[in-house]
Amino acid sequence: MFDKIHEECGVFGIYNKDDLNVANEAYFALFALQHRGQVSCGIAVNNDGIIDCEKGMGIVPDVFDADTLRKLTANGRGDIGLGHVRYSAGKDSIPINSQPLVMRYSKGTLAISNNGSLVNTEEIKRELQTTGAIFQTNSDAELIGYLIAKARLTEGSVEEAISVAMNKLEGAYSFLVVSPRKLIGVRDPHGFRPLCIGKSGNSYMLASETCALDSLGAEFVRDVKPGEIVIIDENGIRSIEDHCGQKTSLCIFEHVYFARPDSVIDGASVHMARRMAGRYLAKEHPVEADVVIGVPDSGLDAAIGYSEESGIPFAFGFIKNRYIGRTFIQETQEQRERSVHIKLNPLSAAVKGKRVVMIDDSIVRGTTSAHIVELLRKAGATEVHMRISSPPFLNPCYFGTDISSREYLIACRLTLDEIRQEIGADSLGYLSLENLHKIAVGSKCDFCDACFTGKYPVEIKDSIFEDKFSKKINESKK
Amino acid sequence: MFDKIHEECGVFGIYNKDDLNVANEAYFALFALQHRGQVSCGIAVNNDGIIDCEKGMGIVPDVFDADTLRKLTANGRGDIGLGHVRYSAGKDSIPINSQPLVMRYSKGTLAISNNGSLVNTEEIKRELQTTGAIFQTNSDAELIGYLIAKARLTEGSVEEAISVAMNKLEGAYSFLVVSPRKLIGVRDPHGFRPLCIGKSGNSYMLASETCALDSLGAEFVRDVKPGEIVIIDENGIRSIEDHCGQKTSLCIFEHVYFARPDSVIDGASVHMARRMAGRYLAKEHPVEADVVIGVPDSGLDAAIGYSEESGIPFAFGFIKNRYIGRTFIQETQEQRERSVHIKLNPLSAAVKGKRVVMIDDSIVRGTTSAHIVELLRKAGATEVHMRISSPPFLNPCYFGTDISSREYLIACRLTLDEIRQEIGADSLGYLSLENLHKIAVGSKCDFCDACFTGKYPVEIKDSIFEDKFSKKINESKK
Amino acid sequence: MFDKIHEECGVFGIYNKDDLNVANEAYFALFALQHRGQVSCGIAVNNDGIIDCEKGMGIVPDVFDADTLRKLTANGRGDIGLGHVRYSAGKDSIPINSQPLVMRYSKGTLAISNNGSLVNTEEIKRELQTTGAIFQTNSDAELIGYLIAKARLTEGSVEEAISVAMNKLEGAYSFLVVSPRKLIGVRDPHGFRPLCIGKSGNSYMLASETCALDSLGAEFVRDVKPGEIVIIDENGIRSIEDHCGQKTSLCIFEHVYFARPDSVIDGASVHMARRMAGRYLAKEHPVEADVVIGVPDSGLDAAIGYSEESGIPFAFGFIKNRYIGRTFIQETQEQRERSVHIKLNPLSAAVKGKRVVMIDDSIVRGTTSAHIVELLRKAGATEVHMRISSPPFLNPCYFGTDISSREYLIACRLTLDEIRQEIGADSLGYLSLENLHKIAVGSKCDFCDACFTGKYPVEIKDSIFEDKFSKKINESKK
Amino acid sequence: MFDKIHEECGVFGIYNKDDLNVANEAYFALFALQHRGQVSCGIAVNNDGIIDCEKGMGIVPDVFDADTLRKLTANGRGDIGLGHVRYSAGKDSIPINSQPLVMRYSKGTLAISNNGSLVNTEEIKRELQTTGAIFQTNSDAELIGYLIAKARLTEGSVEEAISVAMNKLEGAYSFLVVSPRKLIGVRDPHGFRPLCIGKSGNSYMLASETCALDSLGAEFVRDVKPGEIVIIDENGIRSIEDHCGQKTSLCIFEHVYFARPDSVIDGASVHMARRMAGRYLAKEHPVEADVVIGVPDSGLDAAIGYSEESGIPFAFGFIKNRYIGRTFIQETQEQRERSVHIKLNPLSAAVKGKRVVMIDDSIVRGTTSAHIVELLRKAGATEVHMRISSPPFLNPCYFGTDISSREYLIACRLTLDEIRQEIGADSLGYLSLENLHKIAVGSKCDFCDACFTGKYPVEIKDSIFEDKFSKKINESKK
């Protein structure tokens, strides 16, 4: 909610065989995926090879209205639709980086939406530049587009070109490509980010999460496999699986925090995973208490789980203001300091005179946690026991989230007990790594836990490593 | 959430003795009161008798930004601040009806914010018109202002004029008046709408609900008594209680649905009242089931109560999309039909294969209820038992909510079992009137239950009665 | 163009007997009257007694778009339409003062648009307040509305009530009133501000200037007489002339600067009046020169006249930037200083090496004049002879323009030769008062020249006099 | 004004050696160049190699406000600034085509602004695509950027790369390039579009027209020569003239209509050129008449010239509404038909009872001309003699204007007398080609007159020729 790490994107695509309005479908699907990115969004509509695209800064209801949607389908209801929501921070939060990216190349037109983060962008750029490439954005989607265009010079089909391009791509990516006649979905061989297939009538869809399919009333077909290229066209759906078969490593934080609880990723319910995290927490860090509460929204499921395992009653401990949005004014220090309390009010009736177990999904800087603990005490809680449904953050993420500086990570600076003191809790317990790996019941994927362990599923070159972490530390020292 | 009755307003005032920025305080307080009205909002700032006012259509973050707030305090941080959020429907949803209303009269300047609905507006208008009055708005605040101005011609002080004006006012009102040197809060003798007093440092505040005080870090002092006039000026706080002592009748729907659960009204916690409603429901309408869920947000507390009493586990049955806002496109029939599912997705992991008790606070038309039951069944619920934490709506409300047409009320048309069938539930149970009166544990006020019983605490003249109900029935027949 | 005095309003009304869309008609008419006020604008549409109104801050294309116009005629194309454009400065530039003003009173609904300025507002307010009146705006329209409502208590018809109300009104006013069945136009007995009648098909119109009629393709019928009340309803057009017959005093500055040159006021063409001013200037202040230029736009006609009389060739001396609008950034001193040059560029090809006569309509502070003279010299003019098509400003105006402070008037501070030196001209000549009175060839009205002579057509009470002038001098000394 | 051909762009660049705020300078310069394009605009600011860029759809005051300008210089007041205004029609009127275009390539960062139109874009694209290029825009600037990036792989400096790239470019282009350390201006060897050099203090500027220099108070240094590459860096200004020396062909329509009259292009005053056109018209097509008027704004100068030569007095025949802007509503046919009259009102006082000579710069479709003639007659003109200050349009333009379809050109369909009849004039005369070539007195360039003669200064391949003309004719037949 605040003081959180952030996911970088969500994607959606639809191949229309039912006279659907693909702009409308994408609009509703992006609403469902909005939690994956609020900085910019866009929709592209392909009518017989002509691609119209509208994108802008802000959330879906800010960028799209009835007029914009009408404009998108002025030339027809769309053969294929493509959508994107994007999170980004700092200097990358500019219009040019919005997606979908529409490009023309030797074989016609392509539109690309991507979720993830490559770890070898500099290498790819250097290679492309030697043939005279120019770059107009900072997005991986542009590099992917270039590599496809290059590969297409020798390959027969778009999907073959994509397969060749994948040889150059290292890191996390789940991208969709719209060509004049095809919708293609690609998930990196490690499966860092989710991607799934849905169907409604005769029309196939691809989406970052199943909740987008639900919102369209579509049925879930299956997840795209790590390494799989899914091609949808008038002949139906087929796959290229040449890149499948590696050890998989889905970002575990999709289950802990990023994804919506009503989504099911690689066979595991996100809601159940959080509830299981709560149960394991209760086993690992039991405490005598009167009530279990969760920090909304992501801590609520884990709190239910903790309650189930411990027998301590669950309660709503906070009321979250539904109306706090992007435009909340935080210009002055005073306004910023108040923001936690304005977003979140403790429910005195539920916690007064009680020993409270409070579940949150993670601690980044710790400032918000401290604030929340203080609010609970003022509301009358006699004890506050904090439980975190993941291990301590200790390492940077290179695969599409914004954990970027050790300075910001409280667990890099302080011991467990120092953290407990700094946030003012009576006790503090993190979920163990061992149990973390058990929460996603039924998952067909293994997980990346590098932010906790430092063990990266793909090699991180020294140069990037230093760039992401060392440099930021310097910056934050200024 | 949808297909709901609506509250009509929220008010906030502050008398500044601590060099606070009163525009900022009002801004944050209105955020906390936003659930009471989303159609328009406004803030007035009094600097030494000069009142600046900014208002507009939409929610607080739409109307106010850093520039607007700065403009409001261009002449100083404010001696007194006044805020308002407004709900209104149909032809009254126009800018001119926004509040605070700022007026000049024989003794200087006044600003007024009101929550409620008078039942004798036509009488008051007729009387005022005989002396040549003109009306520029459709708001009760304008009539109140006129009556104060009239009374002031003979009375010595604003508060005395207000007391005289109250003799003419019939119905529901909780209003705040800012004069050049005073902040005055008034609650009608029946206490239909809430109003409370808070304090932060040396500065007093008046607000519709205590959650606004919490959001400012202010302490709750006490509720304004039904009939009380509270005067705050440089000498502190004092009261006129000439209108106190009548039988009180707080709107019971404040507890059931309108107010925020973290608010405490006349001594009773809203959260606890809802939980109690859930407990009584469990006693009145027990059922064998596997899980209890609530329709977000208002049904959640009652679901916890039902779970506590019945021993059936509580679960989150729906995920509510956090990003659906005012600008959600619903132009076409198709878009409208989808809106429920886009706002609310059942959590399959929680309900699949289970017998579900679902708690909602009320049924208006029943269309949304039917839709939700259907979604639950599609998500795998084997049984759906609907429980409503209030009795059936049968009568119009004249005191500030928009229950206005029997046509729209399913309980006016159908028997209990017909309703059950129409919404497709396996069983249906409403909270009894008797138990409804017990839910607000600790309340110092009696309640108005006229929407269930037809017994109005104040006389409703035939003319209004016909106007509100009969006419609307005709209209809806067109 | 800059450093100018300003007119305060323009009005337009239409009584529709031809199935016209009255919102559209008003929209186009207000465009034509936009020069009379750019601070706010509004349109009201009467459908069978129900009046819808849209207004906002800014110029017509900012406030009205296709959606707004559609909203205005959602209930019908309109029986009667009413429009207003407003200029105002300082604390009066707030939304609440926008017009038309729509009010309800004992006999139904009225909408009012006014152009002008009363000189006895305080007196009227005091009297109204003794009966309990409240004021929500700072506009004369509200006072006029009140007086009509009061008079209506005893009079039989709106027009009779208006006639009675006029007994209380002193000063300048040209207002339009829309009642459920009538469009009424009123011009004060002195005729300070213009008002004319037009006709298109069977539909009558009332407008501040004839250029509004032209823009609608309507024919000019005649001017409203000073003191006349014109009533338009289904029976056609008729008049009440009880207030006619006084000595008239049209604001001479309507001809010199305010009105559009294509308008004809009280029988005199504005364009011709300016041209005549130029001719008289040439007679009064001849000079040997090579070229005559005008400061756009208002100085151009007078320059043509000077050229005709003197035989010195006319030329375009400046190019005015067509795109400079309301949003031009002038935050910093540097930006402000540049604004003259950015708006107006001397045409070197026309003035280089030449002795230039430059005509402007007036000098207020003189700073812009000095800047323009400097620009001409830089562009190569060897001599610059400034000619002003009106006498020096020496007195405040109480009738609807913003000449309000002697401090600002260069002619109050300096002698003729000192002014010449300050603006850097080689010679300077103002039009004489005697000839000023001759410019409006064919005018049926006499003129108010109080800003030059101090002889006010209506008595100015000491209190107002001091208020407007002395106070401002103090203020400007702060 | 309406029914006109359009220019496609304007450019501005500044190399800052005086602590100027380059965003501010560009903002003011773009205002002065706004007439060259109103569809989109943008400003890029280079601080030590880091380039920030803001651009958007609409005119300068719509896209830029104080906040946007502040954002642009958040990292410094700018070493180098670059601006662009763009006109475009149809499918190219989309945000992605806005300029400046900022790109990264092997040697760092470049920003490009271009005015003109290449005739061999397809050839260039084909060649680039064979090396895997992708195109994200439809602008020539992207192709130019690519060619520079390619050339840079082998060349030592940006300017050398530009020189090599120019070997591939055929057609009209005047572009500016900002590299980390240099501002470079390039004009195509034919000099189709203007480009000039200015200086203010120690800072050099490049601009499409001299009026931009004037608006900044800068002095004109000289025109960039056709074929010249001008390099400005910390060492001052220098040139590469390898591409100079060809036969030049400045677009004659810059003088007739596009450029601002206060600009001087290649040594000839635009104002004087138009005046000369009027003089030649008077010689070629004399007529007995009482008054000469011009269609604002472009016909005014020529009208002065006609008056000077013929001795017939000049007058203002029309008043142009100053407030008609981009948002003027023209949704319905009725609204569109009215638009001419709303923008332009004949000045009855000037034309009534008179034989009128009316000068316009060109006739495209003729519909507007017919409307204007009709308005003049209604205003009382007894005769209307139309004179056009250029020959009839007969051929498409490939060099940056939007004359694209013979269908639209009245002179392609009708004989001179038929045109006269269609527009309803008493007589009609076009300027002869011979005299057209004499109007730009002092010009150092020859002219392109292909739109009149069909003689193109560069070879137009059949494919393009057919594309631009034949295809459009088909389209317009649909």
Side-chain angles (χ1 to χ4, degrees), chain A residues 55 96 101-106 125 129-138 142 145-146 149-150 153, chain D residues 55 96 101-107 129-138 142 145-146 149-150 153:
Chain A
K55 42 193 179 179
I96 197 77
L101 187 80
V102 181
M103 48 169 267
R104 275 160 300 281
Y105 74 124
S106 57
K125 278 187 190 167
Q129 282 173 350
T130 60
T131 63
I134 63 174
F135 303 106
Q136 299 180 47
T137 80
N138 293 321
E142 191 180 22
Y146 255 119
K150 286 266 181 208
L153 296 174
Chain D
K55 42 194 180 178
I96 197 75
L101 187 80
V102 181
M103 48 170 267
R104 274 159 302 281
Y105 74 124
S106 57
K107 307 291 178 182
Q129 283 173 348
T130 60
T131 63
I134 63 174
F135 303 106
Q136 299 180 46
T137 80
N138 293 321
E142 191 180 22
Y146 255 120
K150 288 266 180 210
L153 295 174

Side-chain angles (χ1 to χ4, degrees), chain B residues 55 96 101-108 125 129-138 142 145-146 149-150 153, chain C residues 55 96 101-108 125 129-138 142 145-146 149-150 153:
Chain B
K55 42 193 181 180
I96 197 79
L101 186 80
V102 180
M103 47 169 267
R104 274 159 300 281
Y105 74 124
S106 57
K107 307 292 177 179
K125 277 187 191 167
Q129 282 173 350
T130 60
T131 63
I134 62 174
F135 303 106
Q136 300 180 45
T137 80
N138 293 322
E142 191 180 22
Y146 255 120
K150 287 266 181 209
L153 295 174
Chain C
K55 41 194 180 178
I96 198 76
L101 187 79
V102 181
M103 49 170 264
R104 274 158 301 282
Y105 74 123
S106 58
K107 307 291 177 181
K125 277 187 192 170
Q129 282 171 349
T130 61
T131 63
I134 62 174
F135 303 106
Q136 299 180 44
T137 80
N138 293 322
E142 190 180 24
Y146 255 119
K150 288 266 181 207
L153 295 174

